[in-house]
Amino acid sequence: MLQKTSNPWLVGGRGGSPVAIRLFIFHYAGGGASAFRQWGKSLPASVDPYVVQLPGREARFTEPALTRFPVAIETIANALRPSLD
């Protein structure tokens, strides 16, 4: 089961204990975060998986989709920056 986070761009995470790796997963074109809901069960406990949920998909379907690649890259990088350490 994917957990909601305080960042609308990220779904998932294990929460709790510190982890060695924070894994950011990008869904395929036309997909969404739910396609990866079972991944956490297959990954070691040291990996904290987050799926990047793009606007216009699943719970964010009312938001305008990113349609220009350069704009998408910059927007996604800015949205993920607080989660990088």
Side-chain angles (χ1 to χ4, degrees):
M1 174 71 74
L2 294 172
Q3 302 175 49
K4 290 186 178 183
T5 68
S6 60
N7 183 339
W9 289 84
L10 298 176
V11 182
R14 296 183 190 275
S17 62
V19 296
I21 298 170
R22 186 173 297 137
L23 175 65
F24 295 101
I25 304 164
F26 290 83
H27 58 77
Y28 51 86
S34 63
F36 301 94
R37 68 179 165 273
Q38 299 297 320
W39 277 38
K41 294 177 182 178
S42 301
L43 295 170
S46 61
V47 177
D48 199 15
Y50 288 90
V51 182
V52 176
Q53 184 64 73
L54 299 175
R57 302 283 177 208
E58 296 186 2
R60 299 183 69 190
F61 72 91
T62 60
E63 299 175 43
L66 298 171
T67 58
R68 299 189 61 227
F69 196 67
V71 173
I73 296 299
E74 183 176 351
T75 304
I76 293 166
N78 289 332
L80 296 184
R81 193 166 281 116
S83 299
L84 304 175
D85 54 15

